[in-house]
Amino acid sequence: MIVGTAGHIDHGKTTLVQALTGVDTDRLPEEKKRGITIELGYAFMDAGVDEDRIGFIDVPGHERLVHTMLAGATGIDFALLLVAADDGVMPQTREHLAVLSLLGVARGAVVVTKCDRADAARVAAVCADAQALLEGTSLAGAPVLQVIAPSGVGIAALRQLLVDAAAATRRADQSGAGLRLAVDRAFSVDGVGTVVTGTVHAGSVAIGDELTLTPTLLPGGRPLSARVRSLHAQNRAVQSATAGQRCAVGLVGIAKDQIQRGQWLVDPSVALQTQRIDVELTLWPAEARMLRSGTPVHVHIGACSTTATVALLDVVDGGDGGMGGDRREGLAPGASARAQIVLREPVAAWQGDRIVLRNASANRTIAGGRVLDPQAPARYRRTPQRLTELDALALATPAQRRDALVAAALHGVDLRRLRVADGAVVGEPFVAIAGASAAPLLAIDGHGEFALGAAQTEAARLAVLAALAAFHQQHPDELGPDAARLRRLCLPRLGEPLWRALLADLQRAQQIGVRGAFVHLPEHGVRLSATDERIAQMIAPKLRNQQSFEGVWARDLAQAVQVGEPLLRVAIARLAQRGELHQVVRDLVYAPESMARLAQLARAVAVAQAGVVTAAAFRDATRLGRKRAIQILEYFDRIGLLRRVGDEHRLRGDSTLFMAVSTDTGDVVRKDERKDERKDAA
């Protein structure tokens, strides 16, 4: 169990910790000189149960050091709010209580100190004031104890209270949780190297683990990794440590100056950083003014502090905090609402983490809340659809959140991203219901795992069929749009993996036909006559035997196979509609293999030129003349491989044209890669 002290300056926090543990947590020369706590201090006490130890975090009480107090208060299990009998309740007593309450600390006690400096009536009055102060906070009803720390009066009773609380501490199941350690100190030790200390919020860590530091300080956002060389938990050398313990971690592969307070050491699979978080926010009841959108604030998350701006998401009533007013009215004191926190610099945060807001001058704690989505969107953040998704993200368990979000999200859910936001290295499997007419859709590829709810899947199927019917009516002479163009026509916001899985399901159900990259309704497939079939068989070798990228003219094919040009042109048009050859300009045709190689060259040029394919570069790559190179690029524009932007041709990142698509898995595989796979298998 981690115990945190709180209270006004010079109310005896450090003296009390020393009386309980025998450790003076004021370690800095300046602290000794001035007699006040400036930095976080740490001490430990044996709990007497299975060799468990209770960790203490001693925080500063000065009003200018509340940001340091917040760095230590996040992650504590039990709070000791100190009130000196001679002073009584003071301003920082109230602010520290606000911090504890907004952080959701629900277990604690009030300790009235320096009872030898006041008479019995005064001590009783201070105890009554403290008890009343707790009303309406997360610590309401907490016990009030009286102590004289230097002489030990009341210390035994307090120690027993803490031991009992430690024995009753129950940790949430950590199976599947990735390590998250909030860094509050970094220093070097001779013979050990870089050491960081902090509270483990979730998961576990062991010697030899590879960890990631987040948010990163490296240019370009590259992750900074390190290996665990040594480990101390609750001030004892250990092989592993888990959530709820104070840890000192010796690291290999990272320098002290690469680490700062506010960063996190995490399992690499849950590493994230963000500049937008959606939260459930409560304005402290003692605030005199409403909180409005656009208000600048200081945000405290874990051991991190940064500036940000608040954007209220719910429509709130300035009168009573209800939901029937105007968002511009703001959030009333004591009321709660969803809000987006737009941060000035990247931070790390996970679902369920607690945050505290202080005002722009950082001299008053004003609000606090719980993270709903640590990777919040910049667009559509106030729409009814988004608020419905936030309702799902507010549910209690990861499985409940996942299932509700899949049912609510219009464009699907990235399940892997959701697990990272939950801080989970693994999660319960999500299984789509096979064979149902309106089953959830599941897609897995190298970028993630994606799910689309049953109702949304059925709506997407209908949208695809309707878009194809409209396309066939408008373009009766074409086989159909390519898959990427079809997505832009009917479901532009659906992710590529789910789109491929949707097409695969429709194809398996024989509701659509797919020929190459082109999609069509089954009844719209172009049928060849016997004459067309005969001509197709005759010209196929002529097309395949072309060594250059010049293509073949219809008149040359007609002469080669001795067929009349009008008859050949009809056959060519039908074959092009079926995707069995490509007619770049009238009468100039290419075999699919040749066009696939040209597409591969276009992609290579685009990669080398930041997504742009210029006529000159493509001409050089194909060794064609400028005119023919431009004709081919314009054909690629028409069919959706490229997109014309001014004088440039830009590669469409979502186009799967001239790439083989496995309808079983939804994975896109280049044809030459499949050849390599078959060769490896042989």
Side-chain angles (χ1 to χ4, degrees):
M1 184 175 78
I2 304 296
V3 177
T5 63
H8 198 76
I9 186 172
D10 200 31
H11 274 204
K13 295 183 291 298
T14 302
T15 303
L16 180 66
V17 171
Q18 186 171 10
L20 288 166
T21 67
V23 176
D24 182 0
T25 56
D26 281 350
R27 55 190 170 79
L28 301 178
E30 186 68 14
E31 292 176 318
K32 299 292 188 184
K33 177 181 177 181
R34 298 173 61 184
I36 63 171
T37 299
I38 298 173
E39 261 295 350
L40 299 175
Y42 307 97
F44 302 89
M45 181 184 83
D46 291 332
V49 181
D50 298 328
E51 298 186 352
D52 284 347
R53 308 193 87 194
I54 297 173
F56 289 83
I57 302 177
D58 183 26
V59 306
H62 197 285
E63 63 177 344
R64 295 182 182 177
L65 299 173
V66 173
H67 64 283
T68 305
M69 179 269 178
L70 275 157
T74 303
I76 66 172
D77 303 300
F78 195 95
L80 294 179
L81 181 65
L82 275 63
V83 183
D86 53 348
D87 275 348
V89 173
M90 299 292 282
Q92 291 314 115
T93 312
R94 299 179 184 279
E95 181 161 21
H96 282 202
L97 177 60
V99 167
L100 295 171
S101 189
L102 293 169
L103 285 174
V105 179
R107 296 197 304 158
V110 175
V111 181
V112 177
T113 61
K114 304 184 180 182
C115 292
D116 55 337
R117 298 189 183 183
D119 57 31
R122 171 62 179 170
V123 171
V126 170
C127 289
D129 289 346
Q131 195 78 62
L133 184 66
L134 299 183
E135 294 301 319
T137 74
S138 65
L139 291 173
V144 179
L145 291 84
Q146 302 174 23
V147 303
I148 305 173
S151 63
V153 174
I155 295 300
L158 176 57
R159 182 180 287 113
Q160 188 58 51
L161 175 70
L162 295 175
V163 169
D164 293 343
T169 299
R170 295 290 181 267
R171 291 281 164 196
D173 181 16
Q174 293 295 308
S175 59
L179 172 75
R180 294 194 287 119
L181 182 148
V183 177
D184 50 41
R185 283 194 299 169
F187 50 90
S188 296
V189 175
D190 291 341
V192 176
T194 301
V195 176
V196 301
T197 67
T199 301
V200 180
H201 285 237
S204 61
V205 58
I207 292 175
D209 284 355
E210 294 288 337
L211 304 178
T212 295
L213 190 70
T214 187
T216 181
L217 296 179
L218 294 179
R222 292 183 290 114
L224 189 60
S225 299
R227 179 172 57 83
V228 178
R229 169 185 280 168
S230 61
L231 193 61
H232 280 67
Q234 304 294 78
N235 208 34
R236 287 176 175 168
V238 294
Q239 293 296 308
S240 63
T242 189
Q245 294 182 317
R246 284 288 309 170
C247 281
V249 186
L251 298 173
V252 177
I254 192 168
K256 178 180 72 71
D257 57 5
Q258 292 178 296
I259 307 171
Q260 64 183 18
R261 172 180 288 170
Q263 292 179 296
W264 295 74
L265 270 181
V266 300
D267 185 292
S269 61
V270 301
L272 62 80
Q273 59 185 53
T274 179
Q275 287 190 254
R276 290 178 182 270
I277 54 176
D278 283 348
V279 301
E280 192 174 53
L281 197 65
T282 299
L283 188 62
W284 186 240
E287 272 298 289
R289 299 178 180 178
M290 291 186 294
L291 180 67
R292 304 178 187 277
S293 285
T295 300
V297 293
H298 285 256
V299 179
H300 298 266
I301 307 172
C304 171
S305 171
T306 187
T307 56
T309 302
V310 176
L312 296 176
L313 303 179
D314 285 320
V315 175
V316 294
D317 187 337
D320 59 6
M323 301 295 290
D326 189 331
R327 185 180 294 110
R328 291 172 298 180
E329 289 295 327
L331 183 62
S336 299
R338 274 86 59 93
Q340 184 168 108
I341 309 298
V342 183
L343 298 138
R344 182 178 179 182
E345 56 190 28
V347 303
W350 289 265
Q351 205 282 340
D353 282 357
R354 306 293 301 201
I355 72 166
V356 170
L357 307 186
R358 305 191 81 212
N359 64 349
S361 302
N363 60 11
R364 190 176 74 256
T365 298
I366 61 173
R370 178 171 65 99
V371 175
L372 299 177
D373 187 353
Q375 302 172 88
R379 302 177 63 193
Y380 310 109
R381 62 187 183 182
R382 290 191 178 100
T383 61
Q385 171 61 34
R386 176 58 184 169
L387 296 181
T388 300
E389 293 172 4
L390 289 178
D391 289 337
L393 290 170
L395 296 177
T397 69
Q400 289 174 336
R401 291 193 291 271
R402 179 201 62 202
D403 293 347
L405 190 60
V406 169
L410 290 180
H411 308 293
V413 176
D414 184 337
L415 299 177
R416 192 173 297 175
R417 175 184 178 275
L418 191 61
R419 281 202 299 271
V420 172
D422 281 334
V425 292
V426 295
E428 296 179 28
F430 181 85
V431 181
I433 304 171
S437 60
L441 185 67
L442 183 66
I444 301 174
D445 68 3
H447 301 290
E449 302 167 30
F450 306 87
L452 187 67
Q456 295 88 327
T457 299
E458 184 62 19
R461 289 189 178 109
L462 295 175
V464 170
L465 299 178
L468 283 176
F471 187 91
H472 292 329
Q473 185 175 10
Q474 296 169 10
H475 309 280
D477 295 332
E478 296 184 27
L479 177 62
D482 73 90
R485 183 179 180 188
L486 178 60
R487 179 162 73 110
R488 292 193 294 273
L489 290 173
C490 60
L491 298 167
R493 294 183 64 192
L494 185 66
E496 179 69 19
L498 285 170
W499 171 248
R500 295 197 302 266
L502 177 65
L503 291 187
D505 274 9
L506 287 169
Q507 189 176 11
R508 280 193 291 268
Q510 298 183 348
Q511 292 181 282
I512 63 170
V514 178
R515 188 179 295 274
F518 298 95
V519 185
H520 61 88
L521 295 175
E523 62 270 20
H524 188 75
V526 178
R527 296 179 180 178
L528 299 180
S529 66
T531 301
D532 295 333
E533 292 278 8
R534 181 175 58 84
I535 292 174
Q537 293 174 5
M538 293 169 62
I539 66 174
K542 306 295 182 183
L543 292 173
R544 284 197 299 268
N545 291 337
Q546 286 295 308
Q547 299 299 315
S548 70
F549 292 131
E550 290 290 348
V552 185
W553 291 101
R555 61 177 179 271
D556 297 330
L557 283 174
Q559 291 175 3
V561 299
Q562 297 184 352
V563 172
E565 287 188 33
L567 199 58
L568 183 73
R569 288 192 177 96
V570 172
I572 284 174
R574 289 174 178 166
L575 289 168
Q577 290 173 21
R578 287 169 59 91
E580 295 183 16
L581 55 76
H582 298 270
Q583 193 165 201
V584 172
V585 294
R586 178 176 170 78
D587 289 351
L588 179 63
V589 297
Y590 285 80
E593 295 81 4
S594 297
M595 194 54 63
R597 291 197 299 272
L598 286 165
Q600 189 176 14
L601 290 173
R603 283 192 168 95
V605 171
V607 168
Q609 298 189 152
V612 175
V613 184
T614 60
F618 187 65
R619 175 201 63 201
D620 295 341
T622 58
R623 299 184 181 179
L624 291 169
R626 179 177 175 82
K627 179 179 179 180
R628 185 58 47 81
I630 290 174
Q631 289 173 336
I632 294 170
L633 291 178
E634 290 176 345
Y635 177 70
F636 285 156
D637 290 337
R638 290 197 301 275
I639 64 174
L641 176 67
L642 304 177
R643 178 178 68 248
R644 185 70 178 266
V645 180
D647 294 331
E648 297 177 343
H649 304 268
R650 293 188 172 272
L651 181 68
R652 290 186 181 274
D654 61 350
S655 178
T656 60
L657 280 167
F658 308 107
M659 300 168 74
V661 180
S662 168
T663 56
D664 292 332
T665 64
D667 292 337
V668 177
V669 184
R670 295 184 186 275
K671 290 183 178 179
D672 53 351
E673 291 174 354
R674 280 193 164 172
K675 290 179 183 177
D676 292 340
E677 290 172 4
R678 288 196 294 268
K679 188 184 298 181
D680 292 340

